[in-house]
Amino acid sequence: MGLNLTRKILKDHLVEGTMEIGEAISIKIDHTLTQDATGTMAYLEFETLGLDRVKAERSVSYVDHNMLQVDFKNPDDHRYLRSIAKKFGIHFSRPGNGICHQVSLERFDAPGKTLIGSDSHTPTGGGMGMIAIGAGGLDVALSMAGEPYTIKMPSVVNIRLTGKLQPFVSAKDVILYLLSKFDVKGGRGKVFEYTGPGIETLSVPQRATITNMGTELGLTTSLFPSDEITRDFLKKEKREDEWVELLPDTDAQYDEVVEVELSKIEPMVAKPHSPGNVVPISELEGKPVNQVVIGSCTNSSYTDLVTAAKMLKGHKIPESVGVGLLPGSRQIMNHLADEGWIGHFVMSGVRILESACGACIGMGFAPGSNEVSIRTFNRNFLGRSGTKSAEVYLTSPEVAAASAITGKFTDPRKSGIEPFTVEIPEEFIVDDSMIIPPLSPEEAKKIDIIRGPNIKPLPLKDALADTIDGEVLLKVGDDITTDHIMPAGAQILPLRSNIPEISKHVFKVVDPEFYNRAMEKKGGFIIGGDNYGQGSSREHAAIAPSYLGIKAVIVKSFARIHLANLINFGIIPFEFKNSDDFEKIEQGDKLEIGVSDIRKQPVIMKNIAKGQEYELVHTLTDKEIDVLEAGGKLQYVKKHS
Ligand code: MIC
Ligand code: SF4
């Protein structure tokens, strides 16, 4: 029986387990990625492991999220991260060099390798033919320490692409189309592996747009083969030596097949407040727009940005619209400058922002009250832009540019602009002078780690008691994101290295009183619906609740990365055996769960207030139960080393 590419790469890296769907497998990790907003915590955790140097083949630390620098906090984190990189043998991509996923694709990703990153969009690397997975910071720290990474063996779906995209329709529309079919829960426990003649029409950056936003489907990851197109991209990046051909077997087996005819896809738009809320542009045409932002790790390729520049060239942006450009990397910014495109953006009235996450994570360029913002990003969760009342829509660069010109939602095919193609340059401008390479072990010994006053040690939980009890502090519905649990943005993001401070903001967008209640009641429980914890990989959405005394989260189902983060920080992730029980529980109910032997399922939860009992289940492995019993993964690792 022929192997698909996902299974081939996983098999090559398998350390433990059998590759049966749903079974826990541990894989060897070749590359690691961190960004500053999750990285400071990941390195604080790595430090506690007591190693002299990272053991992964290639580890890279990026600074791209916390770049506003309104006071000492962000620059102190940057300085800490730079000293850590030098101390432990890590590449350091300096602030200004670009967004982690874009730079990783350009300078570090390599076909056939495995990559773990403390950012949920790490699967961007799947566009390069590697297994790239997003994880919590602690799991990345352990991968840097040489530990294998454990996932549940995913099922592999063959997304078979045929045909060719129409002019002004691009890779973003392909992934938005898939989101319209499968929504934000449809990919859980799966890998989307792209095959078929249509893939030959997509460049590596276009493939990476699709794999990047596969995260929004809830996928474990997404994967394209490594073919001549991959080779060509690596050659242009002066890294052809890292190319290997990697294809599925001709008779490869898949668990499902989905056919997608590229020529039938239209420009698509994700409406507020979910990337899964997708409609064709025709449903929105003519609606006034106040803001347009082009860029981010989803749409920052040369083709994306030159296409937008060509469309905007010679036009003046109407006064009712503010347009921003966030080029994903310094390399792309250099091309735009070198070839005169920056000038065209500026002449049309676009505000040039820096090569960073910026507006995507609410770090500046927020829309006004009730305003309509079109963004070429991957997420439009409530309040993420910094303005809770704003309506954020996600589109391709083509729709964004056409709408920026008219001041209303515009189908680029009807914009009057003649269709054109943008060829990737013969060679990219390769300049790694903003990447500090790892020091030799001897040089590294001389480095001191520099910490600022906002960098506080990580508080750890005690070992698990036999019974856990307390009140239901909050009851929420389906699809709660980690942006709901632990919001980001300019006020809160700089507190990522200070758990006691950041904990004050837990669930702030859902219930501003949550923190006070959790403190007053000395912790308790959270009740949730389906797909609890979707979105970002931020482990702060587990660490901060753990610090506030949350003992268990009881929901209908979890999203993958958040589930792992809860376990890592000692919060028990239970699911209702009978999802109707969700309805019976209210905020304020007093619950009690005997957890001395949670290996035996179902586990009984008593509702003292209502005199009821409910059956709970979980998907925990024996090792995960040991981790929970120790109070969390760091405590467990220390006990076993
Ligand atoms: C995001 O897009 O939500 C982030 C900010 O990049 C997060 C990481 C974080 O919260 O630091 C992610 O995607 O994991
Ligand atoms: Fe940065 Fe936005 Fe990409 Fe997250 S999704 S890595 S915040 S650009």
Side-chain angles (χ1 to χ4, degrees):
M1 191 173 81
L3 286 183
N4 56 53
L5 187 53
T6 308
R7 281 188 168 259
K8 280 191 188 184
I9 303 178
L10 287 177
K11 194 167 162 235
D12 270 357
H13 289 81
L14 192 67
V15 178
E16 215 181 311
T18 44
M19 288 176 39
E20 273 169 39
I21 298 171
E23 290 295 309
I25 54 163
S26 298
I27 52 170
K28 176 182 174 290
I29 295 304
D30 303 319
H31 294 187
T32 67
L33 166 160
T34 58
Q35 42 88 340
D36 54 315
T38 54
T40 41
M41 196 47 73
Y43 292 111
L44 285 168
E45 290 154 359
F46 181 78
E47 280 189 84
T48 68
L49 301 174
L51 270 77
D52 293 339
R53 204 170 171 84
V54 291
K55 292 195 179 157
E57 187 179 304
R58 183 179 282 171
S59 290
V60 190
S61 168
Y62 298 85
V63 178
D64 52 4
H65 282 63
N66 255 325
M67 302 262 294
L68 269 187
Q69 300 182 215
V70 289
D71 63 15
F72 62 93
K73 296 190 197 73
N74 295 170
D76 281 5
D77 280 355
H78 304 170
R79 192 175 55 186
Y80 166 74
L81 291 168
R82 195 174 68 233
S83 65
I84 283 279
K86 289 191 169 173
K87 184 88 195 159
F88 293 115
I90 299 164
H91 294 266
F92 183 72
S93 174
R94 292 168 56 190
N97 197 44
I99 304 174
C100 54
H101 310 302
Q102 178 70 26
V103 178
S104 193
L105 194 71
E106 292 166 358
R107 308 304 308 141
F108 293 108
D109 291 348
K113 300 285 181 185
T114 50
L115 163 72
I116 294 298
S118 62
D119 191 283
S120 66
H121 291 106
T122 303
T124 311
M128 183 70 90
M130 73 195 304
I131 294 279
I133 306 180
L138 179 51
D139 285 322
V140 178
L142 290 165
S143 299
M144 288 191 278
E147 292 282 318
Y149 177 63
T150 304
I151 49 167
K152 298 247 154 71
M153 178 66 203
S155 63
V156 184
V157 184
N158 177 1
I159 306 288
R160 203 171 166 278
L161 305 181
T162 49
K164 191 175 182 310
L165 293 168
Q166 310 165 41
F168 293 118
V169 182
S170 63
K172 180 65 160 284
D173 299 306
V174 177
I175 189 66
L176 288 174
Y177 166 77
L178 289 171
L179 275 153
S180 77
K181 266 178 91 83
F182 299 105
D183 204 357
V184 292
K185 295 191 261 294
R188 286 183 303 168
K190 298 178 180 179
V191 170
F192 276 11
E193 183 175 315
Y194 291 83
T195 70
I199 56 173
E200 284 161 32
T201 66
L202 299 171
S203 66
V204 167
Q206 286 168 325
R207 295 172 180 187
T209 292
I210 295 173
T211 57
N212 169 284
M213 230 180 142
T215 299
E216 275 53 62
L217 287 161
L219 293 163
T220 303
T221 191
S222 306
L223 182 65
F224 275 84
S226 169
D227 54 11
E228 283 303 321
I229 291 170
T230 322
R231 178 189 211 150
D232 185 57
F233 179 80
L234 281 170
K235 190 168 165 213
K236 290 178 168 160
E237 286 287 350
K238 302 198 176 69
R239 298 203 287 129
E240 197 181 353
D241 55 329
E242 300 211 46
W243 181 75
V244 282
E245 184 175 57
L246 287 172
L247 306 172
D249 288 340
T250 41
D251 57 344
Q253 302 288 311
Y254 290 89
D255 302 301
E256 274 173 72
V257 183
V258 175
E259 301 276 347
V260 178
E261 169 54 46
L262 294 174
S263 63
K264 297 221 172 93
I265 295 179
E266 296 180 69
M268 310 292 277
V269 185
K271 298 199 295 182
H273 297 285
S274 169
N277 197 7
V278 177
V279 296
I281 179 79
S282 52
E283 285 193 24
L284 289 155
E285 266 177 281
K287 182 181 167 72
V289 172
N290 309 101
Q291 189 191 56
V292 175
V293 200
I294 301 170
S296 89
C297 65
T298 316
N299 278 122
S300 273
S301 67
Y302 177 88
T303 318
D304 285 340
L305 301 189
V306 172
T307 300
K310 278 194 164 191
M311 291 174 71
L312 283 160
K313 186 177 167 187
H315 293 277
K316 298 288 178 203
I317 290 160
E319 65 167 53
S320 54
V321 195
V323 184
L325 174 75
L326 267 176
S329 73
R330 182 167 154 270
Q331 180 179 90
I332 296 296
M333 183 81 120
N334 252 331
H335 274 283
L336 296 179
D338 201 51
E339 296 167 21
W341 299 115
I342 290 281
H344 293 299
F345 277 121
V346 172
M347 286 311 290
S348 63
V350 174
R351 290 165 60 183
I352 311 295
L353 307 166
E354 66 178 326
S355 291
C357 298
C360 179
I361 190 61
M363 297 299 270
F365 217 77
S369 306
N370 305 312
E371 282 194 347
V372 172
S373 177
I374 290 187
R375 298 168 163 222
T376 67
F377 305 168
N378 49 34
R379 288 185 175 150
N380 57 349
F381 302 143
L382 180 70
R384 183 174 159 105
S385 66
T387 307
K388 205 171 163 185
S389 66
E391 290 179 34
V392 177
Y393 294 78
L394 308 173
T395 74
S396 66
E398 289 81 352
V399 170
S403 308
I405 295 167
T406 57
K408 42 190 197 250
F409 277 88
T410 302
D411 183 336
R413 296 169 303 176
K414 300 184 193 159
S415 62
I417 301 171
E418 275 301 306
F420 57 86
T421 47
V422 173
E423 298 299 336
I424 300 188
E426 273 307 301
E427 264 191 1
F428 288 113
I429 304 171
V430 173
D431 172 6
D432 287 335
S433 57
M434 291 278 278
I435 299 173
I436 307 175
L439 293 182
S440 68
E442 297 69 44
E443 287 297 310
K445 279 203 189 93
K446 300 181 204 149
I447 300 292
D448 290 325
I449 296 168
I450 313 169
R451 281 166 236 276
N454 186 47
I455 302 180
K456 301 280 188 239
L458 173 68
L460 295 177
K461 235 185 166 69
D462 293 335
L464 186 65
D466 284 349
T467 306
I468 51 175
D469 59 4
E471 273 187 28
V472 174
L473 294 176
L474 188 71
K475 182 176 174 183
V476 289
D478 290 347
D479 295 325
I480 286 295
T481 71
T482 47
D483 277 68
H484 289 107
I485 306 169
M486 187 72 263
Q491 307 297 326
I492 306 176
L493 211 52
L495 304 173
R496 287 283 180 95
S497 333
N498 186 339
I499 298 301
E501 271 310 306
I502 204 167
S503 298
K504 295 180 180 162
H505 303 274
V506 171
F507 278 120
K508 210 166 189 174
V509 278
V510 180
D511 180 352
E513 278 309 304
F514 180 83
Y515 171 76
N516 290 337
R517 197 157 58 242
M519 293 305 277
E520 189 198 321
K521 309 281 179 191
K522 300 198 169 35
F525 298 98
I526 292 165
I527 305 291
D530 266 325
N531 201 24
Y532 181 86
Q534 66 154 330
S536 151
S537 68
R538 62 191 70 150
E539 58 188 351
H540 300 75
I543 305 175
S546 168
Y547 175 75
L548 295 179
I550 302 301
K551 296 162 189 165
V553 177
I554 304 127
V555 301
K556 292 184 186 167
S557 67
F558 287 99
R560 182 185 65 87
I561 307 178
H562 187 60
L563 173 70
N565 286 339
L566 288 174
I567 300 165
N568 285 353
F569 293 95
I571 297 180
I572 312 181
F574 282 122
E575 291 173 18
F576 289 104
K577 183 164 182 217
N578 174 359
S579 57
D580 294 345
D581 287 342
F582 169 84
E583 306 299 337
K584 300 179 188 156
I585 304 175
E586 283 168 285
Q587 188 177 310
D589 283 359
K590 189 156 182 336
L591 305 177
E592 191 183 288
I593 314 173
V595 290
S596 57
D597 191 7
I598 51 175
R599 281 175 174 81
K600 271 205 217 102
Q601 301 203 49
V603 174
I604 303 299
M605 174 165 82
K606 291 184 188 154
N607 187 335
I608 311 288
K610 297 212 163 75
Q612 296 171 347
E613 282 192 358
Y614 320 106
E615 291 182 330
L616 305 180
V617 289
H618 59 72
T619 56
L620 300 165
T621 61
D622 279 344
K623 183 174 164 195
E624 287 170 334
I625 293 176
D626 292 345
V627 166
L628 284 166
E629 285 176 348
K633 206 170 206 168
L634 272 179
Q635 298 88 316
Y636 170 86
V637 170
K638 280 193 195 148
K639 218 166 105 183
H640 290 82
S641 58

